[in-house]
Structures are given as C-alpha cells and as structure tokens.
Amino acid sequence: MRFSPALFRHAEVLLSELLRSAFPADLVVSNYFRQHRELGHADRGFVAEIVFAVLRRKRSLSARCADEVTSRRLLLAALACLQGMNRRELAVVLNESESKWLAHAKAVKVDDLPVAVRLDLPDWLYGLLTEQFSAEEIERLAAGLNQPAPLDLRVNSLKAGRQDVLARLLADGLTAEACPYSPLGIRLAGKPALSKYPLFVDGSIEVQDEGSQLLGFLLQPRRGEMVADFCAGAGGKTLLLGALMRSQGRLYAFDVAERRLARLKPRLARSGLSNVHPVRIDSERDIKIRRLAGKLDRVLVDAPCSGLGTLRRNPDLKWRQTPGSIAEMSTKQAVILAAAATLVKPGGRLVYATCSLLEAENEEVVRSFLAGHPEFVTCSAQEVLATQGIMIDCGERLRLLPHRHGTDAFYAAVMERE
C-alpha cells in the first residue's frame, strides 16, 4: 500500500467523525467503509490502523499538538511519532507551516509529560488504577492496552480439531499458532479477511479472544445439562458452551436486545449446534427467567460492563466512560447477578465475569453478592482450569491482563450453590 493524499484525506474525515460521534468507534468505522467501497482491503487497513492509533494515544498526541488540536494534526503526529514516517514521506500532505510544527511535535519529550498523559489514560481512570496496581505495573498495563489486539480464533470442536485447522491455515499461507492457554484457540498474525474463508463459512472457526474462551472453560458445562448464557449478546460464548456440551442438553441464550440475538442466528446456523435456544427477555425479572428458577446446572453471567479491559480493540471507551457511568454499571451488574443466581439449582455453578479492569465492577459486585447470598461459595478459578489441563497463573478469581497473558483484560468469579 502506498501512502497518498487521498488516503490521508479519508483518515482525516473518518477521525473527525469518530471524535464527535456518540457511537462506538468500530461501528463508525464500519459505516464509513460501507460508504466508501472504492477502498481496497489494504487501504481500509491503513486508514483503520492510523485512526485507531490516534484514539489509543490521543492524550499524548494532543500534548504534541500544543495549542491547536485538530484531526489533521493528530494524524500527522501519529504518522510521524508513532509510525516513524519522516518529513520526506509526509511531504505529499504537508504544507510549509506544518513541516515546522511537526519538527516541534517530534521534539516533545514524552517522559516529561504528566504520568496519566504519557500513558494515554484519563485522570480518573489512572487514579483508580493506582489503587489496584503498582506504578510499575500500571506502566506495563497501559503499554499492553495501547497495542492493537491480535486476531484470535476458536476452533469449533464439533467440526474440526485444532491441529487440522492449524495445518489448513498454514497451507493457505496464513501465519498462525496455537494460543498458549485455550485448548481451542489459534492466534493469527495480522488481520486477514476471514468472512469468505472456507473454514469460517462452514463454521469450523469463529473469531473470539482467548480470554473470552477461558470463561467457557470456567463454567465447564457437560453433556445433557441445562445451562444458560445470561447475557448472551451476539453469542460468541454461547457457541463455545454448546460445543463443550457436544450439542446435548439445553442451552439458553438470554438477552434483552433482539438485534444482538439476531446476530447469533447466522453464527448458530454455521456452528452445527442443535441445543441452543435464543430467548429475548424484557429484563432480568422476565417471567421466562422466573419459570426456570432453581432448575439450571450452570449459569454464565458475562455482565454488561465498561469494557475497559478491551481497550486494545475499543480504545474510544476510555474517553467515553466516566466515574458516573461506572457507578451506574456496578449497580446494574449487582441486579443482573442476583437475578441470574435464582436459576442455579443446589450443587450448580454460577460464573460472574466482566471485561473490566475496575474493582467496582468486579470484586465489589461479587463481595456484595456473597454477603447477601450465603448459599453460594467461591471456587478457585485457577484450579477449575487446571483440572481441564489449562495451566495459567490467573488467581483464585480469574484476572487476565494483556501484558501478563496476551489477552483482553477479564475478571471472573466461580461460585457454586451448596
């Protein structure tokens, strides 16, 4: 791909839309590319990569822009300071005044900036992280969150084995390796287009972060059981649970949004699963939930959360969330967890999980729940995984972090009803 004024202009227009949009960045980017089908795969890759780089490093890039923070300057600073492009390479889009400014921007000593600015974190988030991590670990965590996420796949064990899939990917010229923890995980290099790839079309593989895959192994569903994915969304974890059950038993996929469940349907058709029952509910108090009280063997609650553990792929979230939105989220999470717990029968398992970094959405929610529900006791997440041959240093309550495990940041508590 050759850098050009036209590509730079697309990136500038898209970034301007992103910075003023109330919608998630991935949705805005997808819509933009649908409107500009003249852009090829490599061109879309360049534009997406540079605008997401700006979103990740917006605070330190803004410091380089001095008094005039515009989409154009943010992009030029990113290309020069993050991508290493020199003034000769950028000459096709630079004017004389910008050339002088860019030299100044590159000379800014990032180490002299305030810590939160240097790490590209909002002050409130940096403050909360200092209560949970050492200064040294925050540095490593921020660096991990500011890297693009790799592309992880999950092999559908109903249709294929991981070694066979790896061999096929390599034979087709894709660079792939087994994920270190998930027995079904494969990590690809780069961002190849998969929507028309035969193994994707026939349901042998699905895109799913390795950390997300491990949540299914924490629930550990068995053949013939009654299981629920309480906040199923588009069903990535639902499909994994169904495969672990060998498509036997009954698996409910609950969600309040019809449009999210609609995205599950084509994936379900590809998967070959016959035990999944998508169910839209009005709320956690829906009569459909109450009818199943005390009847389920296992319930997964991957609760709606801030998403701050997914900043590698959703960097805009750190600029969109606020302390107020976190407080609202933790209240909602407590209500959802309590409702999901009513489904679990004696001896059954309940897993509460989020893709958040924050104690307010994780430990505090679980601690409050356990205080009000003494019939539930916690199990060691690390030991649950070890019994399945998954050796990972993740703690009593699962905590995954990008700089430690190479995954998105996840939290999970495994509980059983006595």
Side-chain angles (χ1 to χ4, degrees):
M1 192 231 45
R2 188 174 178 180
F3 180 67
S4 68
L7 274 186
F8 182 84
R9 180 58 183 161
H10 277 294
E12 187 179 358
V13 172
L14 177 55
L15 181 60
S16 296
E17 288 187 22
L18 285 166
L19 293 179
R20 63 173 182 265
S21 176
F23 294 101
D26 57 347
L27 182 62
V28 175
V29 172
S30 295
N31 288 339
Y32 186 86
F33 289 152
R34 273 197 295 271
Q35 294 167 14
H36 295 277
R37 297 187 183 276
E38 73 274 13
L39 291 171
H41 180 70
D43 291 342
R44 292 196 303 272
F46 168 81
V47 171
E49 180 182 353
I50 193 60
V51 297
F52 272 93
V54 171
L55 293 178
R56 287 188 186 95
R57 309 298 300 274
K58 182 161 72 81
R59 204 164 182 202
S60 60
L61 289 173
S62 295
R64 292 181 183 274
C65 291
D67 297 330
E68 189 180 341
V69 181
T70 63
S71 297
R72 183 177 178 82
R73 284 200 169 190
L74 287 169
L75 281 171
L76 290 171
L79 290 167
C81 303
L82 303 182
Q83 306 284 359
M85 293 181 69
N86 57 41
R87 277 188 284 178
R88 185 180 68 257
E89 293 170 303
L90 292 171
V92 291
V93 296
L94 280 177
N95 59 43
E96 186 175 344
S97 64
E98 286 173 336
S99 184
K100 294 177 180 177
W101 159 77
L102 196 56
H104 169 78
K106 293 181 72 172
V108 170
K109 294 182 178 179
V110 177
D111 289 344
D112 293 340
L113 297 173
V115 179
V117 176
R118 175 167 54 83
L119 298 182
D120 290 285
L121 295 169
D123 290 334
W124 68 268
L125 179 54
Y126 176 73
L128 289 177
L129 293 178
T130 60
E131 298 173 8
Q132 300 177 211
F133 302 98
S134 67
E136 181 183 351
E137 180 138 41
I138 292 175
E139 295 264 355
R140 296 200 302 269
L141 172 60
L145 291 170
N146 282 331
Q147 295 298 314
L151 181 58
D152 288 353
L153 307 177
R154 176 184 57 79
V155 176
N156 179 357
S157 54
L158 291 182
K159 294 198 167 190
R162 179 161 70 171
Q163 288 307 119
D164 291 337
V165 171
L166 271 171
R168 173 70 183 276
L169 292 168
L170 295 172
D172 289 340
L174 297 172
T175 303
E177 61 181 358
C179 287
Y181 306 116
S182 170
L184 300 174
I186 291 176
R187 183 158 293 160
L188 296 182
K191 295 290 191 296
L194 293 175
S195 62
K196 296 180 181 178
Y197 187 65
L199 291 181
F200 181 81
V201 173
D202 73 11
S204 295
I205 57 172
E206 280 280 346
V207 175
Q208 187 177 17
D209 182 77
E210 184 182 22
S212 175
Q213 295 179 40
L214 292 181
L215 299 184
F217 289 98
L218 282 182
L219 194 67
Q220 206 176 0
R222 298 188 171 103
R223 301 182 188 196
E225 291 186 330
M226 289 183 67
V227 179
D229 185 353
F230 200 77
C231 306
K237 282 174 282 295
T238 305
L239 299 176
L240 168 57
L241 298 177
L244 293 177
M245 296 168 71
R246 305 303 297 172
S247 199
Q248 296 175 32
R250 194 169 185 87
L251 174 55
Y252 294 99
F254 293 119
D255 205 275
V256 295
E258 187 69 51
R259 60 179 177 79
R260 285 198 290 263
L261 288 176
R263 288 161 55 199
L264 167 59
K265 290 179 181 178
R267 304 174 76 185
L268 190 55
R270 291 196 304 267
S271 73
L273 292 170
S274 59
N275 67 331
V276 178
H277 302 271
V279 180
R280 194 195 74 79
I281 55 176
D282 292 325
S283 73
E284 65 279 351
R285 296 179 297 276
D286 195 294
I287 186 64
K288 303 183 192 78
I289 301 295
R290 298 206 298 271
R291 285 173 180 160
L292 291 170
K295 295 180 179 179
L296 271 62
D297 297 280
R298 297 169 196 264
V299 177
L300 172 63
V301 183
D302 183 17
C305 70
S306 64
L308 292 171
T310 67
L311 293 181
R312 299 185 306 167
R313 61 187 87 246
N314 301 302
D316 54 311
L317 288 175
K318 60 185 171 183
W319 313 120
R320 292 152 62 87
Q321 299 288 7
T322 66
S325 65
I326 301 302
E328 290 178 14
M329 198 67 73
S330 60
T331 300
K332 184 177 183 180
Q333 289 156 350
V335 172
I336 290 173
L337 177 57
T342 65
L343 297 175
V344 182
K345 70 182 186 183
R349 179 175 294 180
L350 174 66
V351 173
Y352 172 79
T354 75
C355 51
S356 173
L357 294 160
L358 302 181
E359 294 287 336
E361 299 183 86
N362 297 333
E363 283 289 357
E364 291 179 20
V365 172
V366 171
R367 190 182 304 120
S368 176
F369 170 78
L370 291 172
H373 298 79
E375 70 275 20
F376 282 90
V377 295
T378 57
C379 308
S380 167
Q382 188 161 313
E383 290 179 10
V384 169
L385 294 176
T387 62
Q388 300 169 76
I390 301 171
M391 311 312 293
I392 181 173
D393 181 12
C394 65
E396 179 85 9
R397 310 278 173 87
L398 176 115
R399 289 182 179 85
L400 301 178
L401 296 167
H403 64 291
R404 290 185 196 170
H405 305 101
T407 68
D408 285 344
F410 280 95
Y411 168 90
V414 182
M415 296 167 278
E416 293 189 348
R417 184 169 192 164
E418 293 183 309

